[in-house]
């Protein structure tokens, strides 16, 4: 009976841990503004975001009214770092053609 009980505890612990990981993953995917689902119909669209430093800062590219805006985001602050038209970034993309 002891082995059956221990096996039952291990199986239940694995099940609860799996449900916790699944729930955290789902919450991360469903956070407003962080998901890529449905951004095509929005007025503001996040193109890309890159973490910078260890304090939680990010650099993000946001599309708004035909422009791509490079912003720096940190706790309690957001700064515009640069702007360009949407097709203006083509000069910076290296597609391998020399």
């Amino acid at each position: 009976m002891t082995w059956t009980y221990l096996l039952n505890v291990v199986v239940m612990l694995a099940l609860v841990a799996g449900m916790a990981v699944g729930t955290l993953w789902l919450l991360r995917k469903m956070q407003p503004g962080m998901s890529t689902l449905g951004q095509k119909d929005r007025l503001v669209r996040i193109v890309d975001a890159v973490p910078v430093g260890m304090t939680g800062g990010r650099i993000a590219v946001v599309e708004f009214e035909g422009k791509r805006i490079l912003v720096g985001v940190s706790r309690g602050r957001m700064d515009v770092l640069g702007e360009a038209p949407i097709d203006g970034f083509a000069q910076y993309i290296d597609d391998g053609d020399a």
Side-chain angles (χ1 to χ4, degrees):
M1 183 146 111
T2 305
W3 291 108
T4 306
Y5 176 75
L6 287 176
L7 182 64
N8 192 14
V9 168
V10 169
V11 168
M12 290 299 163
L13 183 62
L15 183 65
V16 169
M19 289 173 52
V21 169
T23 301
L24 290 173
W25 178 81
L26 187 61
L27 284 173
R28 184 174 159 224
K29 288 293 183 184
M30 300 309 251
Q31 280 183 347
M34 299 303 287
S35 174
T36 57
L37 301 173
Q39 283 196 359
K40 293 177 182 161
D41 298 342
R42 299 182 124 185
L43 184 61
V44 177
R45 188 170 77 93
I46 299 172
V47 177
D48 196 11
V50 180
V52 178
M54 304 221 10
T55 60
R58 289 185 173 270
I59 293 178
V61 177
V62 179
E63 283 185 1
F64 176 70
E65 288 193 3
K67 294 181 186 174
R68 284 199 175 162
I69 305 167
L70 182 66
V71 294
V73 182
S74 64
R75 274 193 191 156
R77 186 170 177 154
M78 185 177 211
D79 297 313
V80 175
L81 303 175
E83 282 186 36
I86 288 180
D87 57 351
F89 279 89
Q91 64 184 347
Y92 301 111
I93 298 173
D94 181 19
D95 58 2
D97 296 335

